[in-house]
Amino acid sequence: MTLAEAQARVDGWISRFEEGYWPPLAILARLIEEVGELAREVNHRFGAKPKRDDEDPRELELEIADVLFVLLCLANERGIDLDAAFERVMAKYEERDAGRWTPRKPNA
């Protein structure tokens, strides 16, 4: 699935409801909430804070997907083409950081 396809799928779902997209600041608040849930799960799995016995297990991939869903909502609400934006940001990283780290040696 391309980002454009993901954006269209989210838009199709959101368009089913009269309320439509939330305003950008409300979407941002939701994004921060979802990132917090992702951070909590990563901390439980890989950090120094294990879950309590009474806490439900969460799936890391679903927490990441929740963040992606909200980002897609924000892009859609603002009319942003994420495929084009992602191409631009990758070009930026590929140029700016090309010599920043040690390249892997090809396998012999």
Side-chain angles (χ1 to χ4, degrees), residues 63-83:
E63 296 299 341
I64 292 170
D66 279 340
V67 170
L68 179 59
F69 176 85
V70 179
L71 284 172
L72 292 167
C73 286
L74 182 58
N76 284 354
E77 195 280 334
R78 294 283 85 203
I80 294 169
D81 175 346
L82 281 178
D83 279 316

Side-chain angles (χ1 to χ4, degrees), residues 4 25 33-34 38 47 53 68 80-82 91 101:
L25 285 175
E33 177 184 334
E34 296 297 348
L38 173 60
D53 290 338
L68 179 59
I80 294 169
D81 175 346
L82 281 178
W101 294 284

Side-chain angles (χ1 to χ4, degrees), residues 1 22 30 42-43 48 50 60 86 92-93 107:
M1 177 182 298
W22 296 340
R30 175 70 186 273
V42 168
N43 193 27
L60 184 60
F86 188 74
K92 175 185 79 173
Y93 284 119
N107 293 334

Side-chain angles (χ1 to χ4, degrees), residues 1-102:
M1 177 182 298
T2 66
L3 290 169
E5 291 167 338
Q7 284 186 262
R9 188 166 176 188
V10 167
D11 193 59
W13 189 80
I14 295 288
S15 297
R16 294 174 39 212
F17 306 103
E18 287 292 325
E19 294 82 0
Y21 290 101
W22 296 340
L25 285 175
I27 296 173
L28 180 60
R30 175 70 186 273
L31 177 61
I32 299 305
E33 177 184 334
E34 296 297 348
V35 169
E37 291 176 13
L38 173 60
R40 183 174 174 85
E41 185 59 29
V42 168
N43 193 27
H44 286 318
R45 287 182 185 218
F46 309 109
K49 186 180 179 196
K51 284 188 184 229
R52 297 184 318 261
D53 290 338
D54 63 338
E55 285 185 281
D56 291 333
R58 299 275 182 127
E59 295 181 54
L60 184 60
E61 58 269 22
L62 291 181
E63 296 299 341
I64 292 170
D66 279 340
V67 170
L68 179 59
F69 176 85
V70 179
L71 284 172
L72 292 167
C73 286
L74 182 58
N76 284 354
E77 195 280 334
R78 294 283 85 203
I80 294 169
D81 175 346
L82 281 178
D83 279 316
F86 188 74
E87 286 299 324
R88 289 177 52 207
V89 81
M90 283 306 300
K92 175 185 79 173
Y93 284 119
E94 289 165 350
E95 181 181 320
R96 184 187 72 191
D97 296 336
R100 190 172 192 174
W101 294 284
T102 306

